[in-house]
Amino acid sequence: PSAPAVPATPAPSATPAPIAEGPAPAEETLSVGCCRALVLSPPGARRSDRLPLVVALHGLGDSAAGYADVMRALPLRARVVVLDGIDPWPGGGGGRQWFALGSLDAAPAGFVRAVDAVAATLGALTQRLPTCGLPVVTGFSQGAMLSYALAARSPTVVRAAVPIAGRVPIGLLPGAGQRQGSGVRVRGLHGDADARVSMEDGQATVEALRAAGIDAYLDVALRTGHTLSPGLRSGMFR
């Protein structure tokens, strides 16, 4: 029998801090849940404005500060929160990771731990920041893997996911009998020449989500490897 996609989302344990008044800074760093969060507010926003929330998860060895350079191009009036990976990356340079590299399919415990932690952080963010509805989550590589898994928890965690170059470990894919149909939408992006996370693995993840009743599809970028190419970046913001 197929294993469940991921366990239920833990409820945030801390009472959210009251919302401060006045204009929102263009950038602000908060400590929320498991992560340090870099909050990017649109021009002219006030702290009390109820805005759509977009949460971005970086890839292996990157950081919230680095991935924020990608998310600043988002052409929407939304509050963007870029999260730092929960562990230091052994490669150094100040990079972070969501889970340690290894046999993701044979030993996915670190991956599940990261999904649990980020899901709880999303709940804490929506309580702490004035938000319209559930957040949209997006990410690259490791961040994309988490984005897919968070969408599989629908409808209580995210309203949409835009994973780029990711997949879900085989044993954690929802089975066709585990129908979870809801309003969540998953729009994956993947390069057809990705040698690190194959396009076929991304397709298998999307097909499993669709079989479980989730509105999911995959856009493929031709002649593109495991990189945030200009084509994938523009596709992310469409």
Side-chain angles (χ1 to χ4, degrees), residues 42-61:
R46 298 183 65 81
R47 290 182 181 273
S48 58
D49 286 349
R50 193 166 296 277
L51 296 170
L53 178 63
V54 178
V55 178
L57 310 174
H58 62 75
L60 178 68

Side-chain angles (χ1 to χ4, degrees), residues 33-189:
C34 71
C35 307
R36 187 178 65 171
L38 180 59
V39 183
L40 310 178
S41 297
R46 298 183 65 81
R47 290 182 181 273
S48 58
D49 286 349
R50 193 166 296 277
L51 296 170
L53 178 63
V54 178
V55 178
L57 310 174
H58 62 75
L60 178 68
D62 202 351
S63 66
Y67 205 56
D69 289 340
V70 175
M71 298 308 301
R72 287 188 184 96
L74 181 69
L76 298 173
R77 184 169 176 78
R79 186 175 285 115
V80 177
V81 175
V82 192
L83 298 181
D84 252 337
I86 58 180
D87 294 319
W89 179 49
R96 309 288 296 181
Q97 63 182 11
W98 297 102
F99 49 90
L101 288 178
S103 179
L104 191 59
D105 294 310
F111 176 81
V112 173
R113 166 181 168 257
V115 177
D116 286 342
V118 174
T121 299
L122 293 182
L125 282 169
T126 57
Q127 291 190 50
R128 185 163 180 177
L129 302 172
T131 301
C132 298
L134 293 171
V136 174
V137 64
T138 184
F140 173 70
S141 192
Q142 281 197 348
M145 295 176 185
L146 298 180
S147 299
Y148 273 128
L150 290 163
R153 292 171 175 238
S154 62
T156 59
V157 179
V158 299
R159 68 175 180 180
V162 185
I164 307 165
R167 69 180 182 96
V168 171
I170 294 170
L172 300 181
L173 287 169
Q178 299 170 277
R179 296 195 65 81
Q180 306 171 38
S182 70
V184 72
R185 188 182 187 199
V186 178
R187 180 171 179 245
L189 300 125

